[in-house]
Every structure is written in C-alpha cells, then in structure tokens.
Amino acid sequence: CPSPSELRPVNGTQLCALLYADNSPYYEQCCAGAALEVLPGTDLPYLPRGWAGRASSLVVGTRCELTVWSRRAKEGKTRHFGA
C-alpha cells in the first residue's frame, strides 16, 4: 500500500484517500484491484455504482480524515479513518 504521504494521482494533486476493491491476508498483496480516489473536500452521500460494500482496504492521506457510514445517504453508524 502507498504511505499516506504518497497519495497522489497521475496529475499530481493531493488525494485524501484511496479505497481498494481487493484485499489479502498478506500485507504485500493488499491495496490491489480497482481503486476509488477521494479528493479533499469530497462529499459522497452515495458511493459510485459498483462500490457499495466493495471497498476492502484503504489508505487515508496526511491531514485528511475519511468518514464512512454503515447505511446509504449518511445514515447508520459512522467510522472515522485518518492517516
């Protein structure tokens, strides 16, 4: 997995988080498969098509916090992730 300070897409701007579709019990094989980029200030009450319940590993950038909800439309229990 990239380190939190390494989260930069191809164009070089900072990312707040990367969510990955594939995971593994072996650390070196985590953070694989499709990736969903989360830019600073992004507010997603609904995940893009095909991502609900799919993210299995994530990396949160420095000076960022990712908040997720257990139900759609920002309902249910919340969990906060940081670098």
Side-chain angles (χ1 to χ4, degrees):
C1 297
S3 72
S5 62
E6 295 175 329
L7 289 187
R8 298 197 183 281
V10 177
N11 68 3
T13 60
Q14 181 183 0
L15 288 175
C16 261
L18 271 175
L19 284 68
Y20 293 93
D22 296 342
N23 194 8
S24 171
Y26 301 103
Y27 182 77
E28 62 275 358
Q29 295 174 9
C30 287
C31 300
L36 176 63
E37 296 180 346
V38 181
L39 298 172
T42 299
D43 184 14
L44 292 173
Y46 300 94
L47 286 173
R49 183 176 294 276
W51 275 96
R54 185 172 176 202
S56 61
S57 53
L58 60 92
V59 177
V60 178
T62 55
R63 295 186 304 250
C64 284
E65 181 179 81
L66 178 69
T67 303
V68 297
W69 286 262
S70 62
R71 298 188 183 273
R72 51 190 251 158
K74 297 183 180 179
E75 293 185 4
K77 296 179 182 180
T78 61
R79 180 136 186 209
H80 304 278
F81 297 92

